[in-house]
Amino acid sequence: MSSSNRVRLTGVQEQTFGTTPTTPRMRKQRVTSIGLSTKAVYVESDDIRDDRQNSDPAMVGQTNDGQIGIEWHFPVDGCLLSSEMESAFGNYWINTPARDNDGAAASVIQSVTASSQVVAVAAGPAFVAGHLVYFSGFGTANKGKLAKVTTGSATAPAFVGAGLVDEPSPAATARMKVVGCEGAAGDIAAVADGLTSQAGGLDFTTLGLSIGQWVKTGDTGAGYRFATAGTNGWARITAIAARKLTLDNLPAAWAADTGTGKTIRFFFGDVLKNGVTKIGVTLERGFMDHTPPTYTAQSGMRVGSMEFGGQAKEKATGSISFMGMKAGIPGPTTLDATPDDEPDSGTYPVMAFSSNCGRIGEGGVALGKPNWAKGVKFTITNNLRAIDAAADGDDIAPAPVDVVDGACDLAVELNTHFGDPTLVAKNLSGTVTSINTRLQKGVQAMIWDAPRLTPKEADPNVGGKNQDVMLPVKLTGSKDSLTGSTVIVNRIEFYR
């Protein structure tokens, strides 16, 4: 027998769709259920027999699909959930510059020199002057530093004034990640519709920002935040110029503030938008209490649908469905005997609504009194099709030879207390709107954003006496002309 408590799910992103990488580096995944399946397809024989018995059925092929259940945590770069999101969106994350030793000391982050405040790193996307870089996993007092880049470089960025200490061989866990930016004293100001910088100050076009990306203005400490409390909050970028970031979805209390004498900081992270790239993963189920353990690998697995959402005072949950190509016969051989651990639940805890939901916004405004949101759910559906063939070149083709996609459909379900008829009126008049949801826990945040939605159903429910009247709204996503997207996710690895 086998216990569900001893089942392991691992996976790896495929560089070539449908082909498992040679000696793959597998990563474990945190899951609540595993419904993956590989099945032989049989058809019954039509033999006519005078003994009234049947000939053996014929195996004609194989299917490879299924789904998993998850609790949403921060999808840290490189984890299997992050790769599955890329498959679901048909696109790769646009990541802020980072360096990570990834298990090998001094390999990528090679040294820290206190006298010059320079960090020697392997070549990669450049750190730009003004970037804020978060140092984690270092073996000295450099760990936990939030430092401003004073001289940009792809290999030797300087952080003058950051107080970095000598570290000639940074630890195997050392990581540097751009998490925001910082202006010079008095440089960044808040205006009615965004942020500005002085002539000769911070150039917003150099920071790697994009339309539709979310930023969080203000840090802890009076010197890093606006004096006007309501101007320190979250907003979305709608235009980028050298001296101005135009923003919408502004906090209700946002007001102009010159930022006099302050080195204003704002935070931002990685962005994922829907696209057309075919991205697959290889998954492997391991039944670890077998003697010896039994493993089943499935390749060419594309995400057919992905759900994200939850209700008040409940965890953020979802499901991920797959359609794939080939599967191996269960046996004692694994693709990776020592897979990387899943994201640690202490560092990347499960997020929840109510306690971790900083915003559910509709039409650019945060929902509150009298239309408090009770729950929200985003569902991406890719309309995948398995391609079957009678043969695959000079080989047999029992499994699908390809998995192709259809339209990227987005459905959003919003459940609010029925405080006024605004959403009902939008439904009846065909007025488009938008929905965004921010979950935040510790120093991390994740924002799901549907920038253009049509409310197709909105009718209040009256179930009986002594009940709240609720308004369930069903909305359908379409391409937004400003962002060029139907659905966008922001992940902010560090903010304060």
Side-chain angles (χ1 to χ4, degrees):
M1 62 171 288
S2 182
S3 169
S4 62
N5 298 306
R6 295 282 287 129
V7 180
R8 183 180 80 186
L9 180 66
T10 61
V12 64
Q13 190 173 95
E14 298 168 349
Q15 300 305 306
T16 300
F17 175 67
T19 302
T20 303
T22 304
T23 60
R25 180 182 177 181
M26 305 291 281
R27 301 175 188 270
K28 297 180 184 178
Q29 183 163 15
R30 290 159 56 178
V31 291
T32 57
S33 64
I34 304 174
L36 300 175
S37 173
T38 178
K39 296 179 180 178
V41 179
Y42 287 85
V43 296
E44 296 297 329
S45 170
D46 290 326
D47 280 352
I48 299 173
R49 298 175 57 109
D50 63 1
D51 59 5
R52 297 182 59 247
Q53 301 188 74
N54 291 319
S55 298
D56 290 340
M59 187 176 76
V60 296
Q62 182 187 89
T63 61
N64 192 26
D65 52 27
Q67 68 177 28
I68 60 175
I70 63 170
E71 296 171 338
W72 279 94
H73 56 80
F74 182 83
V76 61
D77 186 38
C79 77
L80 186 52
L81 177 57
S82 176
S83 296
E84 289 163 347
M85 292 179 73
E86 290 179 323
S87 179
F89 279 67
N91 213 346
Y92 295 104
W93 287 96
I94 302 170
N95 294 314
T96 66
R99 301 292 189 277
D100 196 325
N101 277 344
D102 197 21
S107 58
V108 175
I109 305 173
Q110 297 157 353
S111 67
V112 182
T113 303
S115 60
S116 62
Q117 294 290 287
V118 168
V119 182
V121 296
F127 296 96
V128 175
H131 271 159
L132 270 178
V133 177
Y134 181 60
F135 288 65
S136 61
F138 283 75
T140 66
N142 295 324
K143 181 179 180 179
K145 290 279 189 182
L146 186 61
K148 176 183 176 179
V149 178
T150 53
T151 302
S153 174
T155 57
F159 301 85
V160 174
L164 300 177
V165 302
D166 283 321
E167 194 165 342
S169 182
T173 53
R175 176 173 168 80
M176 298 166 59
K177 173 71 171 175
V178 171
V179 296
C181 75
E182 177 185 318
D187 178 28
I188 298 179
V191 294
D193 62 346
L195 300 172
T196 62
S197 68
Q198 301 298 317
L202 194 67
D203 183 343
F204 294 119
T205 65
T206 67
L207 301 174
L209 300 170
S210 62
I211 304 300
Q213 189 168 15
W214 285 73
V215 299
K216 191 272 178 183
T217 60
D219 192 358
T220 56
Y224 299 122
R225 59 192 287 114
F226 290 108
T228 306
T231 309
N232 301 291
W234 298 85
R236 190 186 72 143
I237 299 172
T238 60
I240 305 169
R243 303 297 169 207
K244 185 175 181 182
L245 277 185
T246 306
L247 305 172
D248 69 1
N249 283 265
L250 293 161
W254 182 277
D257 189 315
T258 60
T260 302
K262 296 176 181 289
T263 54
I264 298 297
R265 290 174 170 176
F266 63 86
F267 296 91
F268 53 86
D270 307 328
V271 178
L272 180 62
K273 299 182 178 183
N274 60 289
V276 297
T277 304
K278 182 186 292 189
I279 302 171
V281 295
T282 293
L283 300 176
E284 183 181 81
R285 286 170 285 164
F287 298 88
M288 309 310 292
D289 54 357
H290 287 183
T291 306
T294 300
Y295 304 94
T296 301
Q298 297 170 271
S299 62
M301 300 289 275
R302 295 187 67 184
V303 174
S305 66
M306 174 174 280
E307 292 181 354
F308 161 85
Q311 301 290 321
K313 296 185 177 179
E314 292 185 5
K315 296 172 291 187
T317 60
S319 64
I320 306 172
S321 73
F322 299 88
M323 182 176 289
M325 294 173 62
K326 300 177 182 179
I329 296 174
T333 302
T334 178
L335 293 171
D336 185 353
T338 56
D340 288 9
D341 285 336
E342 65 276 10
D344 178 72
S345 59
T347 306
Y348 305 103
V350 173
M351 293 180 169
F353 286 84
S354 297
S355 61
N356 304 135
C357 187
R359 172 189 171 98
I360 296 178
E362 183 273 321
V365 178
L367 287 172
K369 186 178 182 179
N371 299 314
W372 292 280
K374 187 71 176 289
V376 66
K377 183 170 76 170
F378 290 67
T379 303
I380 299 169
T381 304
N382 286 314
N383 297 288
L384 300 182
R385 306 188 308 279
I387 303 300
D388 294 323
D392 185 9
D394 287 325
D395 201 357
I396 61 173
V401 294
D402 201 357
V403 177
V404 298
D405 48 25
C408 175
D409 293 341
L410 176 67
V412 177
E413 297 176 39
L414 177 68
N415 193 26
T416 75
H417 291 269
F418 187 46
D420 66 41
T422 302
L423 279 167
V424 175
K426 287 184 177 181
N427 166 243
L428 295 175
S429 63
T431 302
V432 297
T433 186
S434 60
I435 300 290
N436 50 67
T437 303
R438 184 178 74 251
L439 295 185
Q440 56 195 61
K441 195 161 189 174
V443 298
Q444 301 152 359
M446 177 172 57
I447 303 167
W448 283 66
D449 191 354
R452 186 176 180 85
L453 293 167
T454 300
K456 298 179 70 174
E457 295 181 30
D459 204 18
N461 283 339
V462 182
K465 67 179 182 178
N466 303 322
Q467 297 180 15
D468 297 325
V469 177
M470 304 302 296
L471 180 65
V473 186
K474 295 184 178 181
L475 308 101
T476 297
S478 51
K479 182 179 179 179
D480 172 55
S481 59
L482 177 67
T483 63
S485 305
T486 299
V487 59
I488 308 170
V489 173
N490 284 239
R491 62 177 178 197
I492 292 85
E493 189 167 320
F494 181 93
Y495 82 97
R496 291 191 297 214

